[in-house]
Amino acid sequence: MKKIYPLAFLLLLICCLTSCVDIEESYNFKADGSCSVVYGFDMSHAVSILKNLMSDSLQATPQFSMVKDTSLNFYSALPDSTQQKLSPEEANMAKSSNLSVKMNLKESIMKINISHVAKNYADLQYYLDHISKISMNSRFGNSAKGDNVPLRFDSQQLMAGQDYYNYDVTPHKFYRVIDKAKFNAFLKKTSSTLAMAKAMLIDMPYKVVLNFAHPVKKINNNKAILSADRKHVTLITNIDEVMKDPSIMNLKIDF
C-alpha cells in the first residue's frame, strides 16, 4: 500500500490517540504539608508507530521538522470561554499550575506535563477534585492568544481518566478509589480509540509514584511496591490490566 498520508492526517491521528499514552503521575509530599503533583502524558510511542504511515518526502517537510519545547501558565493556556466559567477558587488553582509541551516529530517525541504545587492537604484535595473538570471542557492549542502550544490538544482525552477517581486526602492518609460507573463510561466513550491503539500494538502503561516525607504505615494495594525505607510507593500497570480489574488502581495509604 502506498504511503500517501499527509502530515495533517498524522497530526489528526496523534490528537485522536491522545488517550493512548504512557501516563505517569507523581506526588512529592513535603514535611510542611505541601505536595507537588505532576501528570505526565507521553505520546511518543504512538507517534513512532504513526510515522510509519508517512512517506519519506512528507517526513522531510519543514512542518514535520518543527521542534517545540514550551512551558506556560495553565490558566493562560485555557480558552477565554473556559476562563470565564471558572470560579475564583478554580481560577486561582489554574494560575498556580503549569503546562509544558515538548514536541519533536522527527525524534518521535510528544510529551505533555501538567504540574501543580499544593500548599497543604486541603489544597491538594481541591486540586485532585477539580483539575479534570477544568480540563475536560478545554482545548489547549493555537489561538488568538498566540502560538503558545504547537498543536491543538484535546485535554478531555488527556485528563478523562482522572475524572473516575474519588479522593480522600488528609495529613495522614492518601486514599484514591476508582468509581466503576465513571470508569465504565470512560471505556465506552473511548472504546474506538482504545481498539485502534490495540490494533496498532500501542501499549498504554500507567505509573503512579508517591514520595512521602514520613514512612508509610499501611497500604492496601498488593501490586504497589513500597521502598525499603517505606517512604516511596510505586504502582505500575497498564490500561489492559485496569480494564480487567479497575480496583487495581485503588490506593489507600496511611502515613
Side-chain angles (χ1 to χ4, degrees):
M1 183 176 69
K2 295 179 66 178
K3 298 178 181 179
I4 58 175
Y5 297 88
L7 178 62
F9 180 68
L10 174 69
L11 300 183
L12 176 62
L13 278 176
I14 292 171
C15 292
C16 290
L17 288 174
T18 49
S19 61
C20 300
V21 300
D22 296 6
I23 300 175
E24 180 169 339
E25 299 178 50
S26 65
Y27 301 80
N28 290 291
F29 293 86
K30 306 299 182 181
D32 62 1
S34 64
C35 180
S36 60
V37 186
V38 179
Y39 292 134
F41 305 93
D42 190 345
M43 292 170 275
S44 301
H45 183 53
V47 172
S48 177
I49 293 175
L50 292 172
K51 277 173 58 180
N52 293 327
L53 298 173
M54 298 183 63
S55 66
D56 292 340
S57 60
L58 285 173
Q59 292 189 41
T61 61
Q63 294 91 339
F64 192 86
S65 301
M66 180 175 59
V67 176
K68 292 285 185 177
D69 192 349
T70 303
S71 295
L72 63 158
N73 181 265
F74 185 79
Y75 181 83
S76 66
L78 296 173
D80 291 338
S81 58
T82 300
Q83 291 181 3
Q84 293 167 4
K85 295 176 183 178
L86 299 181
S87 68
E89 294 79 12
E90 290 172 335
N92 287 334
M93 181 192 75
K95 290 175 181 177
S96 62
S97 304
N98 292 301
L99 171 73
S100 64
V101 179
K102 187 173 184 179
M103 185 183 78
N104 185 329
L105 297 181
K106 277 188 172 295
E107 299 297 327
S108 297
I109 296 174
M110 179 73 74
K111 299 179 180 180
I112 300 175
N113 282 351
I114 298 175
S115 59
H116 176 77
V117 176
K119 300 184 294 293
N120 49 49
Y121 294 99
D123 188 19
L124 177 59
Q125 176 81 53
Y126 186 87
Y127 177 78
L128 296 175
D129 287 341
H130 290 81
I131 182 61
S132 62
K133 296 175 184 177
I134 293 176
S135 300
M136 289 280 282
N137 297 316
S138 305
R139 284 176 178 266
F140 305 118
N142 301 336
S143 66
K145 294 182 179 182
D147 189 15
N148 291 323
V149 183
L151 293 175
R152 183 170 291 280
F153 294 105
D154 187 345
S155 55
Q156 180 176 0
Q157 293 287 341
L158 289 177
M159 297 301 295
Q162 306 306 318
D163 192 46
Y164 52 64
Y165 294 119
N166 293 319
Y167 291 91
D168 185 8
V169 182
T170 75
H172 298 292
K173 70 180 182 182
F174 179 92
Y175 286 10
R176 179 170 81 175
V177 178
I178 200 165
D179 184 318
K180 291 186 178 181
K182 289 185 177 181
F183 180 70
N184 288 334
F186 165 77
L187 291 181
K188 184 177 181 180
K189 187 174 183 178
T190 59
S191 59
S192 59
T193 303
L194 297 175
M196 185 190 304
K198 192 169 185 179
M200 298 177 71
L201 303 180
I202 299 177
D203 193 18
M204 288 162 278
Y206 200 135
K207 183 177 182 180
V208 184
V209 178
L210 302 103
N211 301 309
F212 296 93
H214 305 289
V216 170
K217 297 178 180 178
K218 183 180 179 181
I219 183 170
N220 76 326
N221 191 317
N222 292 329
K223 189 175 177 62
I225 301 172
L226 183 61
S227 64
D229 63 1
R230 303 186 68 84
K231 291 185 177 181
H232 311 284
V233 175
T234 304
L235 175 62
I236 301 175
T237 183
N238 58 61
I239 193 62
D240 285 336
E241 288 185 338
V242 177
M243 288 171 65
K244 294 174 183 176
D245 180 14
S247 65
I248 202 170
M249 293 302 297
N250 290 348
L251 285 168
K252 289 188 176 181
I253 304 172
D254 295 291
F255 53 92

